[in-house]
Amino acid sequence: EIVLTQSPGTLALSPGERATLSCRASQGVDNNNLAWYQQRPGQAPRLLMFGVSSRATGIPDRFSGSGSGTDFSLTISRLEPEDFAVYYCQQYGSSPLTFGGGTKVEIK
Amino acid sequence: EVQLVESGGELVQPGGSLRLSCAASGLTFSSFAMNWVRQAPGKGLEWVSVISGSGSTTDYADSVKGRFTISRDNSKNTLYLQMNSLRAEDTAIYYCAKAPRRSGSSNYCDYWGQGTLVTVSA
């Protein structure tokens, strides 16, 4: 099973600032099959990125993903008020599918 | 617009059984694999199970293997999760989530329902 470790656990930033979230895998993720999800309080998760760097439908271009192998990151170039949420990475290259523990982006 | 609506969650005693349903609309249901993903209160996401578009292929997390069964009725556009021998640690919101393709392997989740709460407690 591939274990995904997300850091930091919490990121306190102000609107307009840049956020960089990390996701490290315990072994290489096949075919860079890595996705990111956003979960706002009381809501279901929403797909942001797949294939490391492809944005899902309707996701603004302030969100970008990068990385390969075992190290991945999600960057939000300028935080908007609606971006304060919890973010999860997920690998889907091998079974079982696994999620990271999440990074909470909160308002400073 | 894709819509996924889960139902069936409730309070159940340890050792009991429950069947969850997920009604899908706005898509050609049989063309897509479907997942169940759960989230314990205040915790992160845990993948539970996946079924291919045809229903011929399934896979499970080790934590539920032998106790949970995923199935689908493509004529009713509905996904199911039969949950037996429930334990306290199965308490969670259960989400159904659509995959972007028919195959049950190597899939992310591109649409999610709002979830249904299962509570296992005496």
Side-chain angles (χ1 to χ4, degrees), chain B residues 48-120:
Chain B
V48 172
S49 184
V50 65
I51 186 168
S52 62
S54 66
S56 62
T57 304
T58 60
D59 195 12
Y60 299 90
D62 285 346
S63 58
V64 306
K65 201 170 291 184
R67 300 187 299 123
F68 290 10
T69 302
I70 191 171
S71 62
R72 63 192 297 160
D73 185 337
N74 287 343
S75 68
K76 295 182 178 179
N77 287 0
T78 302
L79 174 72
Y80 303 101
L81 185 67
Q82 178 66 44
M83 309 163 65
N84 298 333
S85 303
L86 282 161
R87 307 166 180 166
E89 55 265 35
D90 295 319
T91 295
I93 296 172
Y94 284 74
Y95 296 101
C96 72
K98 171 190 167 293
R101 44 186 171 261
R102 192 186 306 266
S103 167
S105 62
S106 300
N107 278 315
Y108 54 91
C109 301
D110 57 0
Y111 290 92
W112 297 65
Q114 284 303 303
T116 187
L117 177 62
V118 173
T119 303
V120 184

